[in-house]
C-alpha cells in the first residue's frame, strides 16, 4: 500500500518535478560516487525490449517490488534514515552509485553501453539478474545468464545494518523466490 501511495504522489507531482534520472539522457547520466565504470558484455536495453517475446515475465516483474527499487531512493526514509547510516557521500541517495548498485541496473556501465530506451528508474530490472541483453534481443540463440540460487544473497539480499529500519525479514530464497518466479510453461514438442 505504501508503494501505491508513493507512486500516486510521484505521478501527482507538478509538471516539471521530474526524478533525477529523468532529467538526463542515459548518455549524460553521471552517478555521484561512481569510482570507475565497468565494461559489460553487451548493451543494456531495458525491460520494454524484452516484453515482445517474454510478456508473462514482463508483467510479473512490473508488479513486483523490483520494479520500484529506484523510486524508493527518493523517499524520506532513504534520505534521513538509511543514507546516513550507510555513510554515503553523494548529495542524495538517488545520485549515489552505492545505493543504485543494489537498487538500480547497470549504473556502472559506460554511457555507450546504455541504449536510449534504458531507464535507471526502472530499478532492479531484467538485466540486473540476466545481464545486459542487446545481443540476445538481436539473436535469442545467444544465451543470457540464468542466476543461481546464491545470486540474490550474494549481490543484494544480505544483512545490512543500515537497513534495520526497513524491518525486512531475513532473506530466504525458498520463501521469496516464488514471489518473482517467472518460469515459462514448457512447450510440447
Ligand atoms: C547491498 C545491497 C543494497 C544497498 C547497497 C542498498 N540497499 Fe536499500 N535495499 C536493499 C534490499 C535487498 C532491500 C529490501 C529489504 C531488505 O531486504 O533489506 C532494500 C530496501 C530499501 C528501502 C526500503 C523500501 C521499503 O519501504 O520497504 C529503502 C528506502 C532503501 N533500501 C534505501 C537505500 C539507500 C538510501 C541506500 C544507499 C545508502 C541503499 N538502500 C543501499 C539492498 C540494498
Ligand atoms: C531479481 C532477478 C530477476 C529479474 C529482475 C528477472 N529475472 Fe528472469 N529469471 C530469474 C531467475 C532466478 C530465473 C530462473 C533461472 C532458472 O531456474 O534456470 C529466471 C528465469 C528467466 C527466464 C527463463 C524462463 C524459463 O522458463 O526457463 C526468462 C525468459 C526470464 N527469466 C526473463 C526475464 C525477463 C524478460 C525479465 C524482466 C521483465 C526478468 N526475467 C527479470 C531472475 C530474474
Ligand atoms: C526476439 C525475441 C526475444 C527477445 C526480444 C528477448 N528474448 Fe529472451 N529468449 C527468447 C527465446 C526464443 C528464448 C529461448 C532460447 C533458447 O531456448 O535457446 C529466450 C530465452 C531467454 C532466457 C533463458 C536463458 C537463455 O538464454 O536461454 C532468458 C533469461 C531471457 N531470454 C531473457 C531475456 C531478457 C532479459 C530480454 C530483454 C533484454 C530478452 N530475453 C529478450 C527470445 C527473446
Amino acid at each position: 500500500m505504501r508503494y501505491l501511495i508513493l507512486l500516486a504522489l510521484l505521478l501527482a507531482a507538478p509538471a516539471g518535478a521530474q526524478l533525477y534520472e529523468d532529467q538526463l539522457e542515459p548518455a549524460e547520466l553521471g552517478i555521484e560516487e561512481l569510482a570507475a565504470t565497468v565494461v559489460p558484455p553487451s548493451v543494456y536495453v531495458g525491460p520494454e525490449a524484452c516484453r515482445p517475446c517474454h510478456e508473462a515475465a514482463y508483467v510479473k516483474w512490473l508488479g513486483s517490488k523490483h520494479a520500484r527499487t529506484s523510486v524508493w531512493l527518493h523517499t524520506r526514509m532513504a534520505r534521513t534514515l538509511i543514507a546516513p547510516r550507510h555513510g554515503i557521500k553523494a548529495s542524495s541517495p538517488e545520485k549515489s552509485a552505492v545505493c543504485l548498485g543494489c537498487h538500480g541496473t547497470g549504473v556502472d556501465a559506460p554511457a555507450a553501453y546504455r541504449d536510449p530506451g534504458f531507464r535507471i528508474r526502472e530499478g532492479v530490472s531484467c538485466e540486473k539478474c540476466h545481464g545486459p541483453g542487446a545481443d540476445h534481443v538481436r539473436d535469442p540463440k545467444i544465451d543470457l545468464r540464468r542466476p543461481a540460487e546464491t545470486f540474490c544473497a550474494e549481490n543484494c539480499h544480505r544483512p545490512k545494518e543500515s537497513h534495520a529500519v526497513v524491518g525486512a525479514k531475513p532473506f530466504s530464497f525458498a520463501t521469496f523466490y516464488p514471489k518473482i518466479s517467472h518460469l515459462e510453461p514448457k512447450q510440447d514438442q
Side-chain angles (χ1 to χ4, degrees):
M1 192 60 201
R2 248 185 310 159
Y3 311 109
L4 291 177
I5 294 170
L6 174 62
L7 275 179
L9 287 175
L10 285 169
L11 292 173
Q18 292 172 307
L19 300 181
Y20 164 70
E21 304 91 297
D22 293 341
Q23 293 162 357
L24 299 166
E25 288 305 313
E28 298 172 289
L29 189 75
I31 296 295
E32 291 173 29
E33 291 193 323
L34 185 62
T37 55
V38 179
V39 174
S42 181
V43 169
Y44 287 94
V45 290
E48 282 297 332
C50 316
R51 187 175 187 176
C53 305
H54 300 295
E55 173 74 15
Y58 178 88
V59 169
K60 181 91 187 229
W61 166 79
L62 195 61
S64 75
K65 289 185 181 179
H66 284 145
R68 326 260 179 269
T69 54
S70 88
V71 175
W72 293 344
L73 299 181
H74 294 263
T75 58
R76 179 188 291 267
M77 181 200 265
R79 209 168 44 248
T80 63
L81 296 174
I82 299 179
R85 302 181 78 170
H86 216 92
I88 62 162
K89 297 191 183 69
S91 53
S92 49
E94 73 276 14
K95 298 181 186 179
S96 162
V98 172
C99 306
L100 283 166
C102 287
H103 285 261
T105 299
V107 283
D108 59 355
Y113 286 81
R114 281 192 217 104
D115 184 82
F118 179 83
R119 293 286 177 271
I120 282 196
R121 67 167 179 273
E122 292 180 299
V124 175
S125 60
C126 322
E127 293 165 296
K128 176 90 176 171
C129 304
H130 294 296
D135 291 338
H136 171 80
V137 165
R138 207 172 47 247
D139 177 6
K141 287 196 202 66
I142 299 175
D143 281 351
L144 282 177
R145 168 172 67 213
R146 287 172 173 271
E149 209 176 301
T150 50
F151 180 88
C152 319
E154 276 171 5
N155 286 280
C156 295
H157 290 275
R158 49 179 185 258
K160 296 167 287 296
E161 192 273 333
S162 63
H163 281 54
V165 59
V166 174
K169 290 191 219 105
F171 185 72
S172 144
F173 184 85
T175 309
F176 291 112
Y177 182 59
K179 292 182 193 283
I180 69 139
S181 170
H182 44 276
L183 292 182
E184 294 170 349
K186 290 272 171 288
Q187 308 281 330
D188 289 332
Q189 36 203 340

